[in-house]
Amino acid sequence: MKSIAVIGGGITGVTTAYALAKRGFSVTLFERHRYAAMETSFANGGQLSASNAEVWTHWSTLAKGIKWMLRADAPLLVNPRPTWHKLSWFAEFMASIPHYRANTVETARLAIAARQHLFAWADAEGIDFDLKRRGILHIYRNKAGFEHAGRVSKLLAEGGLERHAVTPAEMRDIEPTLAGNFHGGYYTESDATGDIHKFTSGLAAAIRRLGVQTLYNQDVRSVATTGRRATVVSAEDNLPTSREFDGVVVCAGVASRAFAQQLGDRVNIYPVKGYSITVNLNDAESQASAPTVSLLDDETKLVTSRLGADRFRVAGTAEFNGINRDIRADRIRPLVDWVHACFPGVSTRSVVPWAGLRPMMPNMMPRVGRGHAANVFYNTGHGHLGWTLSAVTAEMVGDVVRQAATQQGRVVVGQGVGGMAA
């Protein structure tokens, strides 16, 4: 097994191509856009956050979803219209609730390992992506939220992450620009932030230097396998071309589910829409009033990142509404209002809205490893932590592909991260 196709040019596809090229494979990357990182990897919250490793498979998540169902501005919004895909996903979500603890611990462990790879790659390839290693401050407006964070901190500690509680006074020492009344916070000094689009674009340039063939403007129409050869049919300007490879890795975000079906696998990814705004800090007062430490507001489920001197990213919310990339004004407005409330000196005259679809598995764990066919692999379904986990899962799937190359012909049923069947 020498030639490998990677389907998807977002953060997971590009990191996977990099890991495979470093292992000596001949790699071809397929991406339907003109450039890398033009969908979910374009304008996310920017956090490299092991401290946000808590999975969502908790009864409180379902309770909040029901409570907020009729609120257009709710942090978690579920379209009540039933579909078989949505119903099956939520059924598996509930079945995964008993694994909440183990999956949170495992996600923290993976996130810690991931950042070491990512930082090393950026240094090796000279990638400037507005990296800030100033930690992440979780802020809580009430006692209940703060106490739940204390319980989560114990799980994160089991995964190897250190974070500590801070008082409201200590919170303002950490980030003096923050306005409002808070019960307390938790601060993780080892976390970081950066621009996912800049990083992915920089790594996309690096894989070309390593000999990866990057095929942009390629709409992958189908993928098939005999178990020893994989065929990818893609189209540019509606002209289809068929190419053969020894193996294929699916890293196609929310499209991964459909490709998996073609390959005889079930990868039950659901598209969970998130929104962000990029506030252009065009004046000195805004630049001085915007935070430099990244935040996560537990009540509103919003995160922030300072990207260089003149950009401030605010992102969050979760919307279960199928494949829908519409940017809704009623979902963007709460993000702008949050900036006004927490950072009143920041001007929002220049705000760029965005929406992206997180590829989420029901157990909140990425699908990493082999498919049913011996030459099919997956690195997808990272949900809200794709940026955070991308480097370690790329290394993991790189090792699996390398192992398979020495055991060609053996059929292994793929497993999800943490040993749970995907």
Side-chain angles (χ1 to χ4, degrees):
M1 191 182 297
K2 295 293 184 181
S3 62
I4 305 293
V6 175
I7 301 177
I11 184 65
T12 55
V14 172
T15 53
T16 296
Y18 184 81
L20 291 170
K22 282 289 191 177
R23 286 163 172 77
F25 290 96
S26 173
V27 182
T28 300
L29 179 101
F30 291 84
E31 167 54 42
R32 71 187 187 94
H33 291 286
R34 187 177 180 182
Y35 310 103
M38 295 304 292
E39 288 199 12
T40 308
S41 301
F42 186 75
N44 74 348
Q47 291 187 333
L48 293 162
S49 52
S51 61
N52 198 19
E54 181 189 12
V55 296
W56 297 5
T57 47
H58 196 277
W59 287 114
S60 64
T61 306
L62 293 175
K64 289 174 182 176
I66 295 170
K67 174 184 174 183
W68 289 334
M69 194 169 288
L70 298 179
R71 273 184 51 192
D73 62 347
L76 173 62
L77 185 65
V78 180
N79 184 332
R81 183 174 62 86
T83 66
W84 174 247
H85 184 197
K86 190 188 300 179
L87 291 172
S88 71
W89 191 93
F90 274 110
E92 290 183 42
F93 177 95
M94 289 186 285
S96 298
I97 288 176
H99 304 289
Y100 160 83
R101 179 188 183 89
N103 287 349
T104 294
V105 172
E106 177 67 2
T107 302
R109 186 188 67 79
L110 289 170
I112 293 168
R115 60 191 179 202
Q116 304 308 319
H117 294 298
L118 188 143
F119 295 154
W121 295 353
D123 288 342
E125 305 299 342
I127 302 172
D128 177 10
F129 62 105
D130 293 326
L131 174 64
K132 283 189 181 297
R133 300 179 71 168
R134 298 199 57 183
I136 293 178
L137 175 63
H138 288 226
I139 60 178
Y140 300 92
R141 301 169 188 274
N142 56 61
K143 182 180 179 181
F146 181 78
E147 290 181 344
H148 177 77
R151 294 188 290 272
V152 172
S153 289
K154 293 178 181 178
L155 301 182
L156 300 180
E158 289 184 35
L161 184 71
E162 293 184 12
R163 76 172 186 173
H164 60 273
V166 290
T167 66
E170 290 171 326
M171 291 168 60
R172 289 185 171 81
D173 287 338
I174 294 167
E175 182 45 70
T177 64
L178 178 63
N181 296 315
F182 301 95
H183 181 84
Y186 273 85
Y187 183 48
T188 311
E189 295 181 48
S190 59
D191 275 344
T193 59
D195 186 324
I196 187 174
H197 182 73
K198 279 189 173 184
F199 178 86
T200 310
S201 297
L203 199 66
I207 63 174
R208 288 194 296 274
R209 294 193 297 269
L210 290 172
V212 173
Q213 184 179 16
T214 53
L215 300 180
Y216 295 111
N217 287 322
Q218 296 289 325
D219 183 15
V220 175
R221 300 286 178 84
S222 67
V223 57
T225 180
T226 65
R228 298 188 67 86
R229 297 289 288 171
T231 302
V232 178
V233 178
S234 65
E236 182 176 4
D237 297 327
N238 284 320
L239 299 175
T241 302
S242 178
R243 298 175 176 88
E244 284 197 353
F245 304 90
D246 294 323
V248 60
V249 187
V250 177
C251 308
V254 297
S256 298
R257 177 172 174 262
F259 290 131
Q261 288 175 335
Q262 295 176 17
L263 293 164
D265 293 308
R266 185 172 184 272
V267 180
N268 195 15
I269 284 173
Y270 194 87
V272 181
K273 189 195 293 186
Y275 293 84
S276 79
I277 57 172
T278 302
V279 183
N280 293 312
L281 307 173
N282 294 329
D283 57 85
E285 181 183 0
S286 293
Q287 292 178 11
S289 301
T292 56
V293 172
S294 180
L295 307 173
L296 188 151
D297 186 333
D298 184 68
E299 182 176 319
T300 60
K301 306 301 181 186
L302 296 180
V303 304
T304 74
S305 295
R306 181 70 175 267
L307 303 175
D310 58 0
R311 291 186 301 148
F312 177 42
R313 177 75 48 76
V314 179
T317 76
E319 186 176 310
F320 289 77
N321 195 25
I323 301 288
N324 181 309
R325 295 181 174 86
D326 294 345
I327 300 176
R328 294 172 44 177
D330 59 346
R331 304 291 283 160
I332 293 295
R333 186 75 246 170
L335 278 65
V336 177
D337 291 343
W338 186 89
V339 175
H340 293 162
C342 295
F343 302 99
V346 172
S347 170
T348 55
R349 289 189 181 91
S350 179
V351 169
V352 181
W354 173 85
L357 301 178
R358 308 178 186 97
M360 282 199 167
M361 294 291 291
N363 63 358
M364 300 286 112
M365 304 298 286
R367 174 69 153 84
V368 183
R370 301 180 74 157
H372 183 75
N375 63 342
V376 171
F377 311 88
Y378 296 93
N379 184 18
T380 189
H382 294 63
H384 69 297
L385 290 179
W387 176 216
T388 296
L389 299 179
S390 58
V392 73
T393 60
E395 287 288 293
M396 291 165 64
V397 81
D399 287 344
V400 172
V401 174
R402 182 167 58 187
Q403 181 184 39
T406 65
Q407 302 174 340
Q408 199 161 13
R410 179 183 177 190
V411 177
V412 178
V413 177
Q415 297 289 310
V417 167
M420 296 182 62

